[in-house]
Amino acid sequence: MKRNTRFTLGKKLLLMVLLVSLILSAAALAASYWAYLRDTRALYGRFGESIAKTFASQLDLEELDGYAQRGLEDDRYQEIQSALEAAAKEGGVARLDIVRPQENGLLILFSTGEADTEGRESLGDIRPLKNDLADVLADMRAGGTVDPVTWRDGELGWRMMTAAPVPQADGGAAAYVVAELDMGPAIQEERGFLLGIGPLLAVLAAG
């Protein structure tokens, strides 16, 4: 009877050790994944913000106000549009816009449109921001900074929106440069990281 009791207790102890190992492995996996996710998203966010800030620093707010009020394009408008398209191409962003926040969405002043599709939104068009992007519109209307937002578009897949204000004298913002990034490759890398580290931690737990 004593031998059976010892054997039973031994098995229970082994199972407890294995269970604790699995819990610790799962915790390590979750921590590693979320750290990787946070760092990857932060890297993309800084990249998009850098492109938006660089272009915003070159803009004249009074000039933008004129286009917003008149709604007419001229030679200078085409110069800015061409520079915007060049910046989007060189920076490798999916879309680059200059906008003014309105109650019902973003008033398009300039837009490159999507890099892989034909056509683009025109001066005076309104781009609604809803669901995951609703907070972006609220922050812009308040004239504040805008944190990068990652969301899934039904047609375009995973995206990240970043924005930088066009400087004005009082420190607020009446216009923004918006840079959108294609997050598809990053999401695939994140899933690959998760699939790669999972078996490794399981092996360590079993060992």
Side-chain angles (χ1 to χ4, degrees):
M1 293 292 293
K2 291 183 179 180
R3 290 182 179 177
N4 290 337
T5 301
R6 290 174 182 172
F7 181 70
T8 301
L9 290 175
K11 288 199 299 183
K12 289 182 178 180
L13 182 59
L14 177 61
L15 288 174
M16 289 178 62
V17 171
L18 290 174
L19 180 60
V20 170
S21 297
L22 288 174
I23 292 174
L24 292 176
S25 297
L29 171 62
S32 298
Y33 176 70
W34 286 114
Y36 178 83
L37 187 69
R38 179 198 63 215
D39 293 345
T40 300
R41 301 286 174 89
L43 180 63
Y44 273 76
R46 288 194 297 270
F47 172 71
E49 287 176 338
S50 176
I51 293 176
K53 286 179 179 178
T54 299
F55 203 89
S57 66
Q58 305 172 33
L59 297 173
D60 184 324
L61 190 57
E62 290 186 5
E63 204 170 32
L64 298 182
D65 288 342
Y67 291 122
Q69 294 169 9
R70 295 191 303 271
L72 298 175
E73 301 181 10
D74 53 19
D75 291 341
R76 174 57 179 161
Y77 183 95
Q78 295 303 326
E79 290 178 8
I80 298 175
Q81 177 66 34
S82 296
L84 190 72
E85 293 173 355
K89 184 176 181 179
E90 292 173 5
V93 298
R95 175 174 178 155
L96 198 58
D97 296 340
I98 304 173
V99 303
R100 293 190 70 174
Q102 306 288 314
E103 183 177 356
N104 57 342
L106 299 181
L107 173 67
I108 299 294
L109 301 180
F110 297 83
S111 176
T112 64
E114 299 298 328
D116 55 352
T117 59
E118 295 183 358
R120 59 178 173 84
E121 290 171 304
S122 302
L123 172 62
D125 288 344
I126 296 291
R127 181 186 180 187
L129 294 186
K130 300 178 181 179
N131 302 323
D132 294 335
L133 299 178
D135 289 342
V136 173
L137 180 59
D139 290 340
M140 286 184 177
R141 293 192 66 204
T145 58
V146 178
D147 293 328
V149 176
T150 302
W151 86 102
R152 183 176 179 82
D153 184 279
E155 298 180 0
L156 302 172
W158 287 99
R159 312 278 285 193
M160 175 181 283
M161 175 179 283
T162 62
V166 178
Q168 62 181 26
D170 62 2
Y176 287 82
V177 176
V178 177
E180 284 190 24
L181 310 178
D182 177 8
M183 292 296 289
I187 297 298
Q188 291 298 323
E189 290 178 5
E190 291 167 1
R191 291 172 178 170
F193 177 84
L194 184 61
L195 292 174
I197 197 173
L200 175 60
L201 290 177
V203 169
L204 292 176

